[in-house]
Amino acid sequence: MELIVYLAGQIHDDWREELRRKAKERGLPLLFKGPQENHDRSDDIGEQIKGKQPGAVWRDHTASEFNNLRTRVWMQKADVVIALFGEKYRQWNTAMDAAMALAMNKPLILVRPESLHHPLKELAQRAQVVVETPDQALDALAYIFE
């Protein structure tokens, strides 16, 4: 049995690649999906498909259409969602993805440092599991296969 895991969270560092590598090293049957990790591609996709937009707001709006399509398709196919919150970046998209996973009745593993306990307390109460590191999230997934 292979699980599809949607990885929600910021795209500004290599946390996803690190998680993929560690899962492979452990021989876990996981297929990881998530948002477009190429930030420029994510920002440019609307204009690449629909053409030049009349301003920055429309450019963002158009890109969001395609990014939301991608998110919805992969999240619907996912068996579980990991939502990573960190200290460095604003996490609006992560919060939206976590809420969407809950609305779809997807099991949610919430990854957040202790310092974000208060702002994420309501979301944490609805998640299946709350951990502080991506490694702990991977341990939770490994436990499924024991």
Side-chain angles (χ1 to χ4, degrees):
M1 176 178 86
E2 180 179 72
L3 291 180
I4 298 174
V5 182
Y6 188 88
L7 300 175
Q10 55 84 14
I11 62 171
H12 301 285
D13 63 26
D14 66 348
W15 74 273
R16 285 180 183 83
E17 189 56 41
E18 185 73 11
L19 202 64
R20 288 183 194 108
R21 183 185 60 74
K22 289 178 179 179
K24 186 175 181 179
E25 286 173 0
R26 293 173 72 169
L28 295 174
L30 304 173
L31 174 63
F32 293 104
K33 292 297 182 181
Q36 174 59 255
E37 293 177 49
N38 179 322
H39 197 266
D40 290 338
R41 175 84 167 135
S42 175
D43 285 350
D44 296 342
I45 189 64
E47 289 189 327
Q48 289 172 357
I49 292 175
K50 291 178 125 181
K52 183 82 174 142
Q53 297 300 300
V57 171
W58 283 105
R59 181 177 187 271
D60 285 347
H61 175 78
T62 304
S64 293
E65 288 180 59
F66 297 100
N67 287 315
N68 285 330
L69 172 66
R70 177 192 174 102
T71 296
R72 186 174 188 143
V73 167
W74 284 119
M75 198 173 291
Q76 284 180 338
K77 291 183 177 296
D79 297 300
V80 63
V81 174
I82 296 176
L84 174 79
F85 290 85
E87 298 281 358
K88 190 172 180 183
Y89 300 101
R90 293 184 180 140
Q91 305 292 305
W92 298 298
N93 287 351
T94 309
M96 182 183 72
D97 289 350
M100 192 162 81
L102 292 170
M104 292 177 169
N105 204 30
K106 300 290 180 174
L108 176 65
I109 299 173
L110 183 68
V111 182
R112 57 108 179 105
E114 186 177 346
S115 62
L116 293 180
H117 161 77
H118 184 74
L120 294 172
K121 65 187 179 296
E122 283 83 7
L123 195 54
Q125 285 298 313
R126 295 183 183 233
Q128 297 307 136
V129 174
V130 179
V131 295
E132 292 187 9
T133 68
D135 285 338
Q136 290 173 327
L138 193 58
D139 289 342
L141 293 175
Y143 182 68
I144 293 170
F145 296 101
E146 286 184 17

